Amino acid sequence: MLELLTRLTSGQVSAAAVDVLGGACLGQPAAGIAPGWPLQAIFAPLLGSTATSLHEIWRSSAPCIAGYSEGIAWRRSGGVLYGVCEINEAEFSVGSEYSPLRAASQEAYRRIFRLLAAEGLPYLWRVWNYFADINGESYGLERYRQFNIGRQDAFLEFRRGATGNVPAACAIGLASGPLSIAFIAGEQAAMALENPRQVSAYHYPADYGPRSPTFSRATLACPPGQEILFVSGTASIFGHRTVHAGDAATQCREVLANIEAVVATANLHCRSAAFSLGELSYRVYVRHAADFSKVEEVLLARLGAAAEVVFVQADICRSDLLLEIEATTIHVLVG
Ligand code: 3EB
């Protein structure tokens, strides 16, 4: 059985834990913590928290096997693998005909796909992508768009297809740091879900870049006895257009309407009890720290004050988007 623990402070995580598949640390990590399990360090300032860093970890009740391959730290247990791939794009600044970020992105996904093939867990369920200066332009193209080319090329190169059955994801900009990609993969395919209010991202028109992003709005994964809902990073997009530019509170309401629609789609397919917004664990990326209070107010009014939410300051992949929200939960199947 898998367990997702969120909002742990550094005193609550054990670097030595043998039952941890992996996890993420948001904020400013305490110096000297280098756990034995794969850790994605997300250097993004926490908003509205007294802690300097918070951890999210995936735990497994089955024994874990650990490995390291081509820059990817990973652990697997009971048909599920969690890995973190970090690549310094400066390593790709010579010898490639493409931009370093595009080349690094393609190479990162190649390494992930090779690892998954070698381990016999081919199905990507969820991917968390972070890199510096996501809205910056170089080589005549916004960096998020460069990333999209490299990512899509890797999916096509490994004959995975770049539409339909693609993982849930997020792609977020940080102030600095390497290209960092965490992922969860399984022996069994997850079901990819879309949002009836939005054009599928893999079908976005070319206005948003020469290649469409390769992700689905959510995935529903079914490890033995459980059902995991991964809702992708969700923004204030209706159809394919950004709506409510310049208004963070209204963008937040639009995001909630989108998440609600994705959860309703998941409920058409789930075998466990229906998912509800109040039970999900949320990660909220806010572009401008000054918008935090109004976003929090809108969110907690809808989700309830007891909701599990972590807020961080980070950049979103379109410059007119002021926030993005992702969510995850696990259900146990009965009977
Ligand atoms: C959007 O809906 C907002 O490129 O992997 C959300 C989730 C977004 C994932 C990605 C991008 C990605 O287009 C941005």
Side-chain angles (χ1 to χ4, degrees):
M1 299 286 261
L2 287 170
E3 202 181 354
L4 173 61
L5 304 177
T6 66
R7 301 189 299 173
L8 302 178
T9 54
S10 20
Q12 294 171 303
V13 289
S14 162
V18 293
D19 59 350
V20 174
L21 267 182
C25 174
L26 294 136
Q28 191 61 55
I33 295 189
W37 35 270
L39 172 69
Q40 183 172 46
I42 303 167
F43 292 93
L46 294 176
L47 300 171
S49 167
T50 51
T52 53
S53 70
L54 291 175
H55 282 77
E56 244 179 59
I57 63 175
W58 291 86
R59 248 181 10 193
S60 173
S61 56
C64 286
I65 298 169
Y68 188 82
S69 115
E70 296 193 284
I72 303 174
W74 57 268
R75 279 194 179 186
R76 60 175 295 178
S77 166
V80 180
L81 185 147
Y82 181 97
V84 178
C85 177
E86 280 190 2
I87 290 198
N88 183 355
E89 62 186 83
E91 288 168 31
F92 297 82
S93 52
V94 285
S96 169
E97 54 185 303
Y98 305 128
S99 78
L101 178 60
R102 170 178 168 173
S105 305
Q106 183 167 359
E107 180 59 20
Y109 275 88
R110 282 187 185 120
R111 292 178 185 179
I112 292 167
F113 294 149
R114 280 196 288 264
L115 169 68
L116 298 184
E119 289 298 315
L121 298 95
Y123 299 104
L124 263 186
W125 293 350
R126 175 54 158 111
V127 185
W128 290 263
N129 304 286
Y130 299 89
F131 52 94
D133 195 20
I134 193 168
N135 302 125
E137 190 175 312
S138 62
Y139 298 83
L141 196 63
E142 187 188 31
R143 282 167 54 79
Y144 174 59
R145 299 175 181 205
Q146 298 173 23
F147 163 80
N148 274 322
I149 302 175
R151 172 171 58 177
Q152 194 193 82
D153 275 342
F155 273 80
L156 296 175
E157 182 184 345
F158 281 73
R159 310 219 172 281
R160 285 173 167 258
T163 57
N165 198 13
V166 290
C170 57
I172 293 293
L174 302 179
S176 61
L179 170 63
S180 171
I181 304 178
F183 54 96
I184 295 187
E187 264 166 13
Q188 308 292 331
M191 181 187 289
L193 304 172
E194 290 302 306
N195 178 350
R197 303 179 84 249
Q198 296 185 308
V199 172
S200 295
Y202 46 76
H203 287 146
Y204 281 166
D207 324 22
Y208 305 100
R211 302 292 185 77
S212 301
T214 307
F215 71 96
S216 62
R217 298 298 179 189
T219 53
L220 193 55
C222 299
Q226 293 184 296
E227 210 159 41
I228 310 179
L229 176 61
F230 295 101
V231 177
S232 289
T234 305
S236 181
I237 294 174
F238 187 78
H240 57 75
R241 290 195 171 83
T242 298
V243 290
H244 322 301
D247 180 350
T250 312
Q251 286 201 8
C252 187
R253 287 188 198 94
E254 192 72 32
V255 171
L256 283 166
N258 279 328
I259 293 177
E260 207 165 352
V262 173
V263 168
T265 305
N267 286 335
L268 300 175
H269 299 281
C270 74
R271 293 181 295 145
S272 59
F275 295 101
S276 63
L277 288 204
E279 63 163 298
L280 294 162
S281 293
Y282 294 86
R283 200 184 278 178
V284 182
Y285 305 97
V286 181
R287 183 185 290 276
H288 304 299
D291 286 332
F292 161 65
S293 309
K294 47 191 162 184
V295 171
E296 181 188 43
E297 189 184 321
V298 171
L299 207 58
L300 298 190
R302 176 67 180 84
L303 303 178
E308 279 187 45
V309 190
V310 174
F311 294 89
V312 297
Q313 189 277 315
D315 293 333
I316 320 302
C317 65
R318 290 186 192 176
S319 41
D320 50 8
L321 291 172
L322 298 173
L323 68 143
E324 183 171 305
I325 303 180
E326 62 192 45
T328 309
T329 194
I330 305 180
H331 277 184
V332 174
L333 290 170
V334 277

